[in-house]
Amino acid sequence: MKVELDSLAGRARIHAALGDPARLAIVDALTLGDASPGEIAHGLDLPTNLVAHHVKVLTEAGLVVKGRSQGDKRRTYLRLRPEALPALAPPPLAGVGRVVFVCTRNSARSQLAAALWEDRTHTPAASAGTHPASRVHPRAVAVAGRHGLRLDPTATAHVTDVVRDDDLLIAVCDNAHEGLTGPVRPRLHWSVPDPVRVDTDEAFEATFADLAARVERVAPAVTTAPGDRHD
């Protein structure tokens, strides 16, 4: 009986946390990507102290977790725990030509995300970097291969050479999200740790799993424009 009561108490906390319109708006904003408290405050036109209060309630309810940026170490990003709210449907993103994933070097995370997107959705995807490397990281190629996907080891590119007006740009790197401030601006941000910093097979497997889960969660919300699906 104790397990059932604990489960009900957890569910009650979630429902109570979502009973405030501002907190529900924060959860909506975090459904497709991560954001800092300041970005949430700006996007929802709320005072930062009020956002801090709402984030505390959402965190205590188990809906949101915090992580430190690998770029600007002073910055914190909020991340939704989708397993805590399986019935939450993300807002639709309509008329997308392609999905383009961007990171710094275009050598691991963005390459894996694009390959996963095409494999799971059978729709076009591309990847790029803000400071692209000369090749894709060998461990990224290897982890893709272990999961039945293929990466071209030499196919790295700069973001300005890849992105088109109708692309949905997703930053899978904190540095890319924070650094792209001009006309080429990510619409979504996935705060995925850089596996190259650890440089082990286990780190790349963890990154692959993280990206795969995010693709599965976001893909149903994306509607591609007519004519942009693969045959």
Side-chain angles (χ1 to χ4, degrees), residues 90 92-93 117 121 214-223:
L93 299 169
W117 188 272
T121 70
R214 289 172 179 267
V215 166
E216 294 289 346
R217 186 162 87 244
V218 173
V222 176
T223 303

Side-chain angles (χ1 to χ4, degrees), residues 108 112 115-116 119-120 137-151 195 199-209 212:
L112 291 169
L116 277 161
D119 179 70
R120 301 297 197 265
H137 196 286
R139 290 192 193 275
V141 176
V143 73
R146 288 195 293 271
H147 292 273
L149 303 178
R150 181 183 178 277
L151 299 183
D199 201 16
T200 64
D201 287 345
E202 291 76 13
F204 277 80
E205 285 286 354
T207 294
F208 186 93

Side-chain angles (χ1 to χ4, degrees), residues 106-126:
N106 191 214
S107 65
R109 288 166 289 182
S110 56
Q111 294 278 352
L112 291 169
L116 277 161
W117 188 272
E118 290 202 334
D119 179 70
R120 301 297 197 265
T121 70
H122 308 291
T123 59

Side-chain angles (χ1 to χ4, degrees), residues 77-112:
Y77 287 116
L78 307 174
R79 175 174 178 169
L80 183 69
R81 293 184 65 246
E83 63 272 21
L85 202 62
L88 185 66
L93 299 169
V96 174
R98 289 184 309 174
V99 176
V100 177
F101 297 93
V102 60
C103 63
T104 305
R105 301 285 283 167
N106 191 214
S107 65
R109 288 166 289 182
S110 56
Q111 294 278 352
L112 291 169

